[in-house]
Amino acid sequence: MVQYIFRRVIQAIPLLFIISFVLFALTNSLGDPLAVFAESRQRPSAAQREALIRRLGLDRPILEQYAIWLVGNDWMQVDVRGDGSEYAPGTRQGVLRGDLGLSFVTRKPAWTRIEERLPMTLTLMIPAYLITLILAVGIGVYSAVRQYSLLDNVVTGLAFFFYSMPIFFIALLTIYIFAVQFSQWGWGGLPIGGTGDGTFGDLLRHMIMPIFCLVAIQLAGYVRFIRSSMVEVLGQDYVRTANAKGLSERNVVTRHALKNAALPLVTLVGLDLPFLLAGAVVTERIFAWPGMGRLFIESFERADIPVMMAILMLLCVLVVIFQILTDIVYTWFDPRIRYYS
Amino acid sequence: MTTVNPAQPIVRLQAEKGRSNLSRSLARLRRHRMALIGALLLLIVILFVLLGSILIPEAESIYNDPSRALQFPSNGHPFGTDVIGRDLLARTVYGGQISLFVGITAMIVQMFVGTLAGLFAGYLGGVIDSVLMRLAEAMLSIPQLFLALIALRIFSDPTQFPDFEFLGRQYSSTMIVIVFVIGLTSWMRVARIVRSVVLSVKEQEYVTAARSVGARDTRIIFRHVLPNCIAPIIVSATLGVAAAILLEAYLGFLGLGVRAPTPTWGNIMGQANSYINQWYYWFFPALFIMLTTLGINFLGDGLRDAFDPRSLR
């Protein structure tokens, strides 16, 4: 097992290097990062601009820039003026030593930008995901056990309905009904955007609508997934055996069926969890929620390469880690699975 | 592809031995109530988009008149007017054409790349397999929206790709770019599905038999292996259209999708985003996106059941 994990990690490393290089090349061809400064009051002169480009290393070939991004440049001298008249030691430590670089826009470390936004994204995504999972297991199991009952049919229909809705439709409808109309009718509508005045109660009030939308959009997929894997498991011989020897239905469903049906769910959750960190771009946009999705869009619009790279690489690394974790959890759920290296 | 020698008649045993798998599947599909509802919804959307463009001239979707901005739906403008006074019914009709076009063509790109990648990865194995599958894995570890945004920005430089005219209407080149961006960022799942089917099919006796009589790899892949992948391909193609339409809508909603002058359901939504109080502005395009994806999902589910009788209990 340890050997297996070790091998998986070793395999993942070259993959991460390749992904990071491709992403680096892509993000670097997005546009001029210095265009941001053109809008600012102190518009840099051509000479300043050139100095800035050189200081950021943007005049270098892409491979060299990538190498500096990886290992930093504090071990070499940077030609400050471009004519060999003045040298200064580099300041960057490189990603491999945990330095993700400075944001082009705020000149703060890219990691600080992420640290500011990540908690906000997680306060939205984790409750939404937990509610989704709990509701999905409940509804999915029920509609698998009582197949083609009224509730099953209603839920399946609704599931399709929400599943097919673009999230902005749900979001705009919710806002229109619960914020706009409710306050017109004098029922005290829910607050529309932002995170409130800093108190916990107000934060909760601001979380209601985005979480409702996120749950509504995700729930359907999970319910259908759990329902179909439960239906499959309920048709197995061991479930018939369990029923035949007189176990209570509750016991059969939870101990025998659900435990086996949960296995594919583990994979799904393991693959989805890292993406919670990416936030929900559209939802965050509509509800003006200062999360990771908006951070990505903001950095994207300003070609803030270090921040974009930080977000993308964080996700890639987490995906790899969660894949390995999923494999480990698998052996725990199903002792028959053994990994050999 | 292989060519068939016309001098050599091909005996189609299957056709004479009664109903093929395909016709049995189609019969199952016709009995599937959800699939029929789905097909009906799609028919409504398609009729709306086609009849609309016959009844309403295209100029109507571009003509703006700020004096009639943000009007509530009326007889003259059944869906109301947008912020610069364009008729929203006309924009929903013509935007719908583009959205459906993008959805379908992006699906074709996605299916083409995904199927080929899956076929070759599964059949040839070895280095090609691991390279293609690692690539798929790498692309799956980044949210598709992020990938699409980056690719879209790189390839939609308006100076490089100017607007073009086709059949007397002007289109933004981003419309074509977006098709490829969506298609090339969503082939991975199809490739995986096709690959897994290929892996099981290539161990079958008839493949060994074909190889033993000296059939070339390309012939085996396209004549013997590919037909077995048709069912999962059709199902994911159907669902792929819905996913592509949704992704286009999200890109448009973020204001980064197809650019003016070409309307799409997505970019109408993107403009309507800040006018929540004017519900008619965003309601109709969103409703049509929903009807389309709902119809496609119903149909796709029906197709899945029809092709895979095991799932019908």
Side-chain angles (χ1 to χ4, degrees):
Chain A
M1 185 73 192
V2 175
Q3 256 187 331
Y4 172 80
I5 296 169
F6 185 71
R7 201 172 51 112
R8 285 289 304 267
V9 174
I10 296 291
Q11 276 176 346
I13 289 173
L15 185 69
L16 283 175
F17 274 107
I18 295 170
I19 298 178
S20 65
F21 178 68
V22 173
L23 287 176
F24 193 80
L26 284 176
T27 47
N28 268 282
S29 45
L30 273 184
D32 182 10
L34 298 188
V36 192
F37 297 108
E39 302 154 10
S40 70
R41 236 175 301 148
Q42 306 124 332
R43 178 189 282 246
S45 68
Q48 282 172 319
R49 202 182 141 82
E50 208 164 302
L52 203 54
I53 286 180
R54 209 169 299 117
R55 209 177 55 195
L56 295 173
L58 294 172
D59 55 336
R60 299 283 165 189
I62 187 81
L63 263 173
E64 194 181 327
Q65 282 191 49
Y66 176 68
I68 291 177
W69 180 78
L70 270 183
V71 297
N73 60 359
D74 55 348
W75 41 272
M76 60 188 231
Q77 299 285 317
V78 179
D79 182 356
V80 183
R81 292 199 191 143
D83 54 4
S85 63
E86 191 187 337
Y87 286 90
T91 50
R92 294 171 56 184
Q93 294 204 299
V95 174
L96 294 181
R97 280 180 286 168
D99 174 15
L100 290 161
L102 298 179
S103 157
F104 286 166
V105 179
T106 61
R107 303 306 297 156
K108 283 195 275 182
W111 182 247
T112 320
R113 299 277 286 157
I114 292 182
E115 267 182 332
E116 290 163 2
R117 299 297 187 88
L118 197 52
M120 289 319 293
T121 276
L122 293 181
T123 42
L124 204 58
M125 299 303 278
I126 290 180
Y129 197 70
L130 283 179
I131 294 173
T132 307
L133 274 189
I134 293 168
L135 285 179
V137 170
I139 299 173
V141 169
Y142 182 88
S143 58
V145 175
R146 302 261 180 281
Q147 255 192 91
Y148 304 116
S149 64
L150 181 65
L151 189 80
D152 179 30
N153 283 331
V154 169
V155 164
T156 313
L158 274 181
F160 261 112
F161 189 68
F162 281 117
Y163 187 68
S164 308
M165 258 190 172
I167 182 129
F168 47 68
F169 196 24
I170 300 186
L172 291 175
L173 275 180
T174 347
I175 293 177
Y176 189 71
I177 295 169
F178 295 104
V180 179
Q181 291 298 324
F182 269 37
S183 50
Q184 269 183 17
W185 297 336
W187 292 357
L190 287 168
I192 294 181
T195 55
D197 52 15
T199 60
F200 183 65
D202 204 39
L203 179 69
L204 279 184
R205 270 163 52 78
H206 280 85
M207 280 163 64
I208 296 174
M209 281 200 297
I211 287 187
F212 172 77
C213 296
L214 288 169
V215 171
I217 206 92
Q218 292 174 342
L219 186 61
Y222 284 94
V223 168
R224 286 177 52 72
F225 186 83
I226 292 169
R227 181 182 181 273
S228 69
S229 67
M230 269 303 273
V231 165
E232 197 171 321
V233 169
L234 285 174
Q236 298 285 327
D237 288 341
Y238 55 80
V239 171
R240 198 182 312 137
T241 312
N243 275 323
K245 72 180 181 185
L247 289 181
S248 69
E249 190 187 2
R250 184 189 186 82
N251 208 335
V252 175
V253 169
T254 54
R255 297 264 303 271
H256 294 254
L258 183 58
K259 214 175 157 190
N260 284 292
L263 207 54
L265 184 66
V266 170
T267 323
L268 192 67
V269 172
L271 293 178
D272 278 353
L273 276 182
F275 290 118
L276 294 189
L277 268 76
V281 176
V282 176
T283 318
E284 284 174 9
R285 166 88 152 225
I286 297 177
F287 292 101
W289 192 268
M292 294 283 281
R294 266 179 76 198
L295 178 63
F296 185 84
I297 297 287
E298 284 165 23
S299 333
F300 168 77
E301 280 170 346
R302 296 173 175 182
D304 194 347
I305 299 161
V307 178
M308 287 176 75
M309 280 305 290
I311 297 174
L312 292 171
M313 287 321 293
L314 178 70
L315 286 177
C316 289
V317 171
L318 281 173
V319 168
V320 169
I321 292 175
F322 272 88
Q323 272 171 357
I324 298 173
L325 282 180
T326 311
D327 285 348
I328 297 171
V329 173
Y330 241 72
T331 57
W332 181 55
F333 263 90
D334 188 349
R336 286 169 306 182
I337 296 175
R338 293 269 181 279
Y339 295 121
Y340 300 102
S341 43
Chain B
M1 284 281 277
T2 51
T3 48
V4 179
N5 182 0
Q8 214 174 23
I10 302 164
V11 183
R12 290 194 187 280
L13 282 174
Q14 210 183 27
E16 282 145 18
K17 264 176 64 181
R19 303 163 77 197
S20 69
N21 271 333
L22 189 70
S23 72
R24 257 179 287 158
S25 297
L26 286 177
R28 272 198 293 273
L29 187 63
R30 275 196 296 272
R31 286 197 304 271
H32 200 284
R33 210 186 324 150
M34 297 263 264
L36 289 183
I37 296 175
L40 190 70
L41 283 176
L42 283 181
L43 195 69
I44 292 173
V45 173
I46 291 169
L47 278 182
F48 170 79
V49 161
L50 289 183
L51 286 183
S53 68
I54 295 171
L55 298 176
I56 307 168
E58 196 248 346
E60 190 78 358
S61 73
I62 303 170
Y63 174 74
N64 63 66
D65 177 4
S67 68
R68 59 173 205 205
L70 291 176
Q71 275 179 5
F72 197 77
S74 61
N75 282 334
H77 307 288
F79 287 6
T81 57
D82 76 357
V83 67
I84 56 170
R86 288 176 294 202
D87 179 49
L88 278 169
L89 174 61
R91 287 187 72 72
T92 311
V93 166
Y94 285 94
Q97 289 185 352
I98 307 297
S99 285
L100 292 179
F101 169 82
V102 168
I104 292 166
T105 41
M107 175 275 285
I108 293 172
V109 173
Q110 167 195 352
M111 286 300 131
F112 185 74
V113 177
T115 308
L116 280 186
L119 279 176
F120 284 109
Y123 187 79
L124 300 176
V127 182
I128 294 176
D129 183 27
S130 31
V131 168
L132 284 173
M133 287 303 111
R134 286 302 88 73
L135 181 66
E137 212 171 283
M139 291 182 73
L140 281 172
S141 62
I142 299 160
Q144 195 191 357
L145 191 58
F146 288 8
L147 269 183
L149 282 176
I150 295 175
L152 202 58
R153 172 66 65 83
I154 294 175
F155 296 110
S156 63
D157 185 359
T159 51
Q160 246 181 316
F161 305 98
D163 290 354
F164 63 94
E165 215 167 287
F166 182 69
L167 294 179
R169 279 163 66 181
Q170 196 157 30
Y171 297 98
S172 164
S173 62
T174 41
M175 189 179 111
I176 306 297
V177 175
I178 217 164
V179 165
F180 286 96
V181 164
I182 295 178
L184 296 179
T185 51
S186 49
W187 57 274
M188 295 84 74
R189 282 173 212 284
V190 186
R192 285 187 165 183
I193 295 169
V194 171
R195 176 179 175 270
S196 68
V197 178
V198 173
L199 283 181
S200 67
V201 166
K202 79 169 181 182
E203 304 301 330
Q204 303 282 327
E205 282 90 352
Y206 56 82
V207 173
T208 321
R211 199 176 298 131
S212 69
V213 297
R216 276 173 295 122
D217 274 350
T218 43
R219 187 183 164 85
I220 295 177
I221 289 179
F222 290 107
R223 291 293 293 212
H224 301 282
V225 177
L226 184 60
N228 283 288
C229 308
I230 289 298
I233 290 176
I234 290 179
V235 173
S236 26
T238 317
L239 301 176
V241 177
I245 289 177
L246 275 183
L247 184 61
E248 187 278 319
Y250 288 144
L251 289 169
F253 183 79
L254 294 170
L256 301 158
V258 177
R259 291 208 197 99
T262 311
T264 70
W265 287 334
N267 66 21
I268 301 174
M269 292 293 302
Q271 293 149 7
N273 177 14
S274 19
Y275 301 92
I276 290 169
N277 290 331
Q278 281 76 28
W279 62 268
Y280 49 86
Y281 197 166
W282 44 265
F283 182 79
F284 293 109
L287 181 73
F288 276 96
I289 298 174
M290 200 196 78
L291 288 179
T292 315
T293 44
L294 193 64
I296 291 172
N297 286 336
F298 276 153
L299 190 62
D301 205 55
L303 284 170
R304 200 200 317 261
D305 287 349
F307 282 125
D308 182 12
R310 278 179 307 143
S311 64
L312 279 183
R313 278 168 205 277

